Amino acid sequence: MYFKGILVERQGSKTRVLAREEQEVELLDVNGQTVQSLEFVTNEFGSFHGSFVLPAGLLNGQFELRADDGSLAIAVEDYKRPTFFVQLDSVPGRPQLGQPLTVRGQARAYAGQPTDGAKVSYRVTRRELWPMFFGDFRGGIYPPDRGNTQEVAHGKATTDAQGRFAITFTPPLVPKAPGRPRWEPGYLFEIVADITDAAGETRTGTRSFPIGRNPLSLQLAGPETADKQHLPTFTLLSTNATGEPRPATGTLRLLARRYRPNPAGVPGPVPETPENEATPELVKTLPFDTKNGPALNLRAALAELPTGRYLLEAQAAGADSARARHELTLYDSEAATVPFATPDWVVVLADSVAPGQPASILLGSSEAGARILVQAERGGKLLRQEWLTLKAGEQRRLAIASGPAAAPGPLHIHTVQVRDNHLYRHEATVTVAEKPAPLQLAISTFRDKLLPGQKETWRVSIRQANGKPADAELLATLYDQSLDIFRPHSFMSLGARAEYNPPRFGWQGYFRPAPSFPSGGAPQGDGVDALIEYPELNTWGVFGRGGGLAGRVPGLQVQQLGRVAAGRVTLRGTRAPMMADAAAENKQAQRSGGDGLRSG
């Protein structure tokens, strides 16, 4: 058993290796008893390495390598080495429900030769994938008894001379249920193939993939904000029903988003809700083709547009009707005005800076006389606190010092303002660190096929980020891949975790309507409090368990009669049968002296 250790020390935000340090390594058995021990002194790279020979006669189980400053668990087990493995291929093309689908696979020995003439036994199962809801319109959990798994196909096959085999089945097409909303369930198919070779060894391969009703899916990816001075790259991923890449063509549309203004005399910000959003205005169309890659060339189109809020929409050509949307705010970091009408505009221009370099942020408001408090802290110390007053529509760029180069932790920036009974609060974290300069590794000599007992030399070159040779130490391992079936091989991390420096300043709060609750009644002349009743609408439980009327119901109108204290309401429209039945039961209960439901 071979092992290697690296001794590191972290002080504040700095990590370094410890050279010329003594370490004792012990091998502990399943009972925690020391079996063997070795002593080491770390080299100039802070590392040490060695090996143990496991004694015979010990119990199998979890052993432990324990050093003075760390430990590692090891599984010691008896096993029969697998000789071959099974791999199922991805699902290309355009698989669809109700159409025959062929999935291919291969059985191959770890030494490289195919496993031919092996028996294949397979089964295919399907499980429904439903959206997750907390409750439906009637307060219940929806959907009930969904997501069951059922077998849709099974069969047998034989591997050919190349060890390959094919599984063909038809994913069932479930007809749409009448009255179901626009969303439909997806389906997760799982293929399990058990392969037995001539020696009687059996290995299993599995592959799961979803198939929905849409043979093509589009997904737009990119930042939610884009600076016209440094336009980012947007990507469009086109995949088939199983998630495998598939080229697609279509049209990109850029639409300007706007919200309806408040009515005359209504103060405060415009409600940015879906109900208050106006129909987007088409400003640009472009063709797309993902055959050559997912990257979209939008820089020229975005550079021509004015700042504002946009909707990027991709529509596939043909009958697939695949569509993807991405909301985008386009701004100009060099402009003196905010990109759109908003009482609160805050953008951090970079999420990381070098030690000693300032961070830049944009602040703005479309309202006149906006008062904004800006705070900056690092390492628990307040570096800046300033009140700013902005003009109407002003966008101001601030440079905020990141503090001493040796200060720990990131830079935390807080902004807060209160306007028209709204609290606008932002918190941003800017990493303060040198730009990473990873080493460059390259294998200059490598052969992937060897004869038993053959000696081989692999050459690896290690260079710095600038291309110069690096003075480094390399850890490489050669292990039996077949053992990954029992436990995948991986290296333990160094454990040099970054120090956690949370923000210590900032603001918390909210504005919201304060509900009133009855705390008695109105005092009368004789000192007796009279109960105050307010109008309410009893829906007899038709629109939910709470009995309240939620949303708009055609044919019903609430009309107040008499004084507020009377609390009487009438319903204009045809009364539903269950409401009529409940009303009759309520009247009968009142006549008999019972505690029935009241209509007012």
Side-chain angles (χ1 to χ4, degrees):
M1 179 183 62
Y2 300 93
F3 61 88
K4 178 175 181 175
I6 302 175
L7 190 62
V8 297
E9 179 185 58
R10 185 174 185 86
Q11 294 180 347
S13 58
K14 301 294 184 180
T15 302
R16 67 185 185 95
V17 297
L18 297 179
R20 309 293 180 243
E21 293 285 340
E22 296 181 356
Q23 287 286 306
E24 181 182 8
V25 180
E26 296 178 306
L27 175 63
L28 307 181
D29 61 12
V30 294
N31 296 316
Q33 302 297 319
T34 300
V35 178
Q36 300 178 38
S37 63
L38 294 172
E39 293 184 354
F40 300 93
V41 177
T42 60
N43 59 16
E44 59 180 318
F45 298 101
S47 70
F48 59 91
H49 65 276
S51 62
F52 286 122
V53 177
L54 296 177
L58 297 179
L59 292 175
N60 291 343
Q62 181 170 292
F63 283 52
E64 183 181 8
L65 279 177
R66 180 182 298 174
D68 295 338
D69 298 283
S71 62
L72 179 66
I74 302 171
V76 178
E77 302 171 353
D78 292 324
Y79 63 91
K80 180 180 179 181
R81 180 185 180 276
T83 61
F84 72 95
F85 65 94
V86 181
Q87 182 176 5
L88 293 173
D89 300 339
S90 59
V91 185
R94 304 179 64 177
Q96 300 182 44
L97 296 175
Q99 300 294 329
L101 174 63
T102 298
V103 178
R104 304 183 185 278
Q106 184 182 29
R108 185 162 57 92
Y110 285 98
Q113 68 271 21
T115 303
D116 58 341
K119 298 179 180 180
V120 181
S121 176
Y122 67 86
R123 61 188 181 277
V124 183
T125 58
R126 186 199 69 178
R127 180 164 62 90
E128 289 182 331
L129 301 177
W130 287 84
M132 297 183 63
F133 292 105
F134 292 103
D136 67 348
F137 298 104
R138 296 183 179 271
I141 300 300
Y142 187 86
D145 302 327
R146 299 291 186 178
N148 295 330
T149 300
Q150 65 179 27
E151 183 178 288
V152 297
H154 65 274
K156 297 183 181 297
T158 303
T159 60
D160 59 15
Q162 286 73 40
R164 300 195 62 82
F165 59 94
I167 298 173
T168 301
F169 71 101
T170 300
L173 175 60
V174 180
K176 293 184 178 181
R180 180 176 289 170
R182 61 182 180 180
W183 44 260
E184 288 288 332
Y187 301 96
L188 182 67
F189 292 86
E190 182 180 41
I191 300 178
V192 179
D194 299 321
I195 298 185
T196 305
D197 66 357
E201 181 180 348
T202 300
R203 295 296 161 195
T204 302
T206 62
R207 176 171 284 275
S208 298
F209 49 87
I211 298 182
R213 296 186 182 273
N214 296 327
L216 180 68
S217 296
L218 299 178
Q219 181 180 0
L220 279 167
E224 296 180 355
T225 58
D227 184 3
K228 295 188 67 173
Q229 301 296 327
H230 307 281
L231 289 173
T233 300
F234 293 85
T235 58
L236 177 61
L237 303 177
S238 56
T239 58
N240 63 10
T242 66
E244 296 296 326
R246 180 173 179 81
T249 60
T251 303
L252 288 172
R253 303 200 309 164
L254 275 166
L255 302 102
R257 300 177 59 219
R258 295 180 180 86
Y259 290 92
R260 299 180 180 91
N262 288 338
V266 177
V270 173
E272 295 184 359
T273 61
E275 296 79 11
N276 195 46
E277 185 172 2
T279 302
E281 178 186 355
L282 180 63
V283 295
K284 193 75 173 180
T285 59
L286 295 168
F288 74 82
D289 188 350
T290 61
K291 181 179 180 179
N292 297 326
L296 299 175
N297 186 12
L298 298 178
R299 294 186 177 180
L302 294 177
E304 297 175 355
L305 296 178
T307 59
R309 288 178 288 196
Y310 293 91
L311 178 64
L312 178 61
E313 184 180 77
Q315 175 75 50
D320 293 329
S321 69
R323 178 180 296 181
R325 291 184 173 185
H326 180 76
E327 295 181 358
L328 168 68
T329 298
L330 186 64
Y331 69 95
D332 189 346
S333 59
E334 301 296 333
T337 57
V338 292
F340 59 93
T342 174
D344 179 62
W345 171 248
V346 178
V347 172
V348 179
L349 297 180
D351 57 5
S352 64
V353 295
Q357 298 297 318
S360 297
I361 67 170
L362 298 178
L363 296 175
S365 176
S366 57
E367 305 294 331
R371 293 273 292 168
I372 303 177
L373 175 63
V374 180
Q375 293 178 316
E377 61 169 303
R378 185 179 175 201
K381 295 183 178 180
L382 192 62
L383 304 179
R384 179 171 179 172
Q385 179 170 285
E386 180 182 4
W387 280 98
L388 301 178
T389 302
L390 304 181
K391 302 176 182 178
E394 179 184 0
Q395 175 179 272
R396 187 177 301 183
R397 182 167 182 161
L398 296 181
I400 299 180
S402 60
L411 176 67
H412 298 284
I413 302 175
H414 315 279
T415 66
V416 61
Q417 71 161 315
V418 177
R419 189 179 188 89
D420 294 327
N421 291 331
H422 285 75
L423 174 66
Y424 302 99
R425 183 172 61 90
H426 296 273
E427 293 186 0
T429 301
V430 179
T431 302
V432 183
E434 295 288 352
K435 186 177 180 180
L439 297 176
Q440 300 176 355
L441 275 69
I443 300 178
S444 56
T445 303
F446 181 79
R447 280 173 285 274
D448 59 355
K449 289 182 174 59
L450 303 174
L451 297 175
Q454 177 183 349
K455 293 184 178 181
E456 180 58 278
T457 299
W458 290 277
R459 298 187 182 276
V460 180
S461 62
I462 306 175
R463 298 183 178 276
Q464 300 177 10
N466 57 10
K468 296 182 179 180
D471 186 13
E473 186 178 69
L474 175 68
L475 169 62
T477 182
L478 183 67
Y479 76 100
D480 189 345
Q481 183 186 358
S482 65
L483 302 185
D484 281 346
I485 293 181
F486 305 107
R487 181 171 296 191
H489 173 73
S490 63
F491 287 121
M492 180 181 178
S493 62
L494 292 179
R497 299 181 180 89
E499 183 179 2
Y500 179 55
N501 290 275
R504 299 181 181 272
F505 299 89
W507 296 83
Q508 294 182 353
Y510 55 86
F511 281 87
R512 67 181 183 186
S516 60
F517 300 95
S519 59
Q524 302 296 313
D526 55 1
V528 179
D529 291 346
L531 181 64
I532 300 177
E533 296 182 354
Y534 294 94
E536 64 181 22
L537 176 63
N538 193 338
T539 62
W540 312 103
V542 175
F543 303 105
R545 295 179 179 178
L549 180 62
R552 299 178 179 177
V553 181
L556 297 183
Q557 179 180 359
V558 180
Q559 179 182 8
Q560 178 180 318
L561 298 179
R563 297 179 305 166
V564 174
R568 295 183 299 159
V569 296
T570 60
L571 296 178
R572 290 188 176 179
T574 302
R575 186 158 47 178
M578 65 179 300
M579 296 176 65
D581 295 341
E585 294 177 1
N586 183 36
K587 289 183 178 180
Q588 181 63 31
Q590 290 179 345
R591 291 173 181 174
S592 61
D595 295 332
L597 297 175
R598 298 189 303 131
S599 62

